[in-house]
Amino acid sequence: MSTTLLLLADGRFPAGGHAHSGGLEAAVTAGRVRDLGDLDAFLRGRLATVGLVSAAFAAAACAGGDIHTLEAGLDARTLSPALRKASRAQGRALLRAGRTLWTLPTAERELHHPVALGVVAAAAGLTPAEAALTAAYGTVTGPASAAVRLLGLDPYATHALVARLAPDCDAVAARAATVDDLPACSAPLLDIGAETHATWEVRLFAS
């Protein structure tokens, strides 16, 4: 594993990921996630749906896929306007950070986060498989970190949960990097939760 991959996957990388809970804040408020067991189910579901789609699009963008086609494909797969907005906000922040470190092959300033991740990963010299792994990893680590703040969970137990998910992340990334057709997995509760969350006047996270 390259140091560059670790840098891009690091939650401290200044791309704004700390401001997003990946739908967890809405799930916690709705009572669907209350403890470590619930978080485990939430992360596994998110990885199998959002994670697979994000990883596949990141890999495709890293491999040189047409940016506009990938953008249209993600728009079609992201039914929630709130989630589209959040994805583009994260993508915009990632592109800004990426440009300070590497020379990006596109002048685009706003892309969906998985597409932006693929573009930045390619500029950093990573492979499509590594871009997919970074995307899959971020799918679980972002909400896991948010869970410590939202639920007051033991950070050691939370990271142990993430460690147990490592083989699943690897499997999702490997599948995403080799698919012929980009996946279109859905997570309706995340869509509904995102729309509800967007109406709140007070919230800890942007999504």
Side-chain angles (χ1 to χ4, degrees), residues 1 4-10 22 43 46-62 74 87 90 94 112-121 126-143 162 165-166 168-174 176-177 183:
M1 182 181 295
T4 302
L5 187 154
L6 296 175
L7 172 67
L8 195 55
D10 192 336
L43 295 179
R46 182 170 163 77
L47 179 62
T49 53
V50 176
L52 177 60
V53 172
S54 296
F57 273 80
C62 185
L74 264 180
S87 177
Q90 288 183 276
L94 178 56
H112 278 293
H113 183 260
V115 179
L117 177 57
V119 168
V120 172
L126 298 182
T127 66
E130 289 173 322
L133 183 58
T134 304
Y137 175 75
T139 298
V140 297
T141 55
V162 173
L165 287 172
D168 299 273
C169 283
D170 290 342
V172 165

Side-chain angles (χ1 to χ4, degrees), residues 24-141:
L24 184 70
E25 186 169 19
V28 167
T29 300
R32 290 192 295 273
V33 178
R34 295 164 294 183
D35 53 31
L36 200 64
D38 292 340
L39 179 63
D40 179 81
F42 178 89
L43 295 179
R44 290 181 185 279
R46 182 170 163 77
L47 179 62
T49 53
V50 176
L52 177 60
V53 172
S54 296
F57 273 80
C62 185
D66 181 74
I67 297 299
H68 298 292
T69 300
L70 294 173
E71 280 288 291
L74 264 180
D75 263 343
R77 289 164 172 79
T78 310
L79 301 182
S80 162
L83 286 181
R84 286 198 294 270
K85 181 178 179 181
S87 177
R88 291 190 183 282
Q90 288 183 276
R92 186 166 58 246
L94 178 56
L95 288 172
R96 180 181 178 185
R99 281 193 174 89
T100 66
L101 277 71
W102 303 288
T103 300
L104 303 190
T106 177
E108 296 286 345
R109 295 285 173 177
E110 184 170 295
L111 297 171
H112 278 293
H113 183 260
V115 179
L117 177 57
V119 168
V120 172
L126 298 182
T127 66
E130 289 173 322
L133 183 58
T134 304
Y137 175 75
T139 298
V140 297
T141 55

